[in-house]
Amino acid sequence: MARKPEPTGPRHVAIIMDGNGRWATKRGRPRLFGHQAGARRVREIVSACPDFGVDYLTIFAFSTENWKRTQTEVAGLMSLFRRYIIKEMQQFVAENVRVRFIGDRARLDARLRGLMDEAEKMTGHCTGTNLTIALNYGGRDEVARATQRLAQDVAAGKLDPADVDEETLPKYLDTCLLPDPDLVIRTSGEARISNFLLWQSAYAEYEFIDTLWPDFTAEEFGKLVGNYGGRDRRFGAVKA
Ligand code: IPE
Ligand code: IPE
Ligand code: MG
């Protein structure tokens, strides 16, 4: 049943979708089987966002460190991303979901990059849930790339170094069009952020849960979103 949107709930939820490999291993199957099951979960969570008042959902699909995995796993994941975009885009348009990607596209193959561009264009007019997929994303890499562009603007005389402040740098980040995440969820029992949204999550609330990503349901998502409403966010100040 659709819940009424929670006015005090998180507007932007980011998820570190972890545990696909262990989910598959537990079943005696190859890791890629877990990634496929994990990809199928994404739709359910995206579709649940409007019910829980979540306007922005950002999901970590592949990190800048994930290239360290075997060639077989990396190639399998890249092929899964391509197939996923081809298969799901029409449905995202039908559900009014706006798709964006963050991360460094330069290292991705041209076919995948083309599909990512197409998905962003196809959903460019959508005004519902903002789904951002972090693909070849690393928080440090993002800050480094942003700094490089900022330095280029300084060198070109477009930006005065004295004007660089907390408002300036985020304009150069991949997430420049997104609000900061209010809630970051990590599945699979690991209590670390693995280089995800480092700058943006400075004041996010965190939920580290044991569920492996392929077992994560809309119901559990709803509970975590609900928990958030009860938290006292002080942003460094003392509550009156
Ligand atoms: C997360 O699941 C998906 C990616 C990092 C691509 P993992 O593949 O990290 O699964 P575990 O942590 O090995 O169980
Ligand atoms: C983080 O998971 C990256 C993604 C979910 C895409 P990892 O499984 O790669 O992180 P570590 O290796 O446990 O830190
Ligand atoms: Mg993992």
Side-chain angles (χ1 to χ4, degrees):
M1 224 198 37
R3 252 184 44 172
K4 265 176 76 180
E6 176 71 73
T8 55
R11 185 171 174 229
H12 183 178
V13 179
I15 307 183
I16 302 171
M17 309 184 290
D18 197 17
N20 294 348
R22 277 162 283 170
W23 186 90
T25 303
K26 264 179 35 185
R27 286 162 178 76
R29 304 294 300 267
R31 294 178 58 85
L32 211 56
F33 181 71
H35 293 314
Q36 285 158 355
R40 282 197 296 275
R41 273 292 162 198
V42 172
R43 151 133 326 278
E44 179 182 337
I45 304 307
V46 174
S47 301
C49 284
D51 299 335
F52 301 131
V54 173
D55 295 332
Y56 292 84
L57 179 72
T58 299
I59 54 175
F60 204 1
F62 191 88
S63 78
T64 46
E65 289 71 39
N66 288 148
W67 298 104
K68 293 178 198 157
R69 297 187 178 198
T70 64
Q71 208 267 331
T72 311
E73 183 168 351
V74 170
L77 279 165
M78 293 301 148
S79 152
L80 176 65
F81 297 145
R82 287 195 298 268
R83 280 181 283 124
Y84 186 83
I85 296 174
I86 294 167
K87 187 167 158 273
E88 298 286 334
M89 276 319 122
Q90 290 298 344
Q91 189 56 34
F92 282 142
V93 172
E95 284 188 32
N96 200 22
V97 174
R98 172 129 193 205
V99 178
R100 296 186 180 91
F101 293 90
I102 54 170
D104 185 5
R105 299 184 194 205
R107 200 171 164 185
L108 301 172
D109 76 71
R111 211 148 38 106
L112 177 56
R113 283 205 310 262
L115 287 165
M116 289 159 70
D117 290 342
E118 220 177 290
E120 287 181 335
K121 274 199 205 99
M122 259 175 81
T123 63
H125 65 285
C126 295
T127 54
T129 306
N130 290 277
L131 171 66
T132 302
I133 303 174
L135 222 168
N136 194 27
Y137 176 87
R140 288 181 173 179
D141 176 71
E142 181 193 33
V143 171
R145 284 185 290 105
T147 308
Q148 197 175 84
R149 287 196 295 270
L150 187 149
Q152 280 161 357
D153 279 356
V154 169
K158 290 188 210 159
L159 182 68
D160 182 345
D163 291 336
V164 177
D165 59 17
E166 284 190 28
E167 308 295 320
T168 319
L169 188 83
K171 293 191 181 127
Y172 290 85
L173 294 173
D174 298 348
T175 52
C176 58
L177 299 173
L178 310 176
D180 285 342
D182 304 297
L183 172 65
V184 179
I185 298 169
R186 182 174 189 145
T187 57
S188 92
E190 312 293 352
R192 55 176 173 265
I193 59 170
S194 301
N195 205 8
F196 190 43
L197 301 177
L198 295 181
W199 172 282
Q200 300 86 340
S201 299
Y203 270 98
E205 300 287 335
Y206 282 90
E207 288 274 11
F208 296 103
I209 56 161
D210 288 338
T211 310
L212 301 174
W213 174 253
D215 292 327
F216 188 70
T217 59
E219 192 189 348
E220 194 166 13
F221 182 54
K223 276 195 195 127
L224 297 175
V225 168
N227 286 349
Y228 173 93
R231 292 179 179 211
D232 182 14
R233 301 184 83 204
R234 291 181 286 273
F235 298 99
V238 175
K239 225 179 154 192

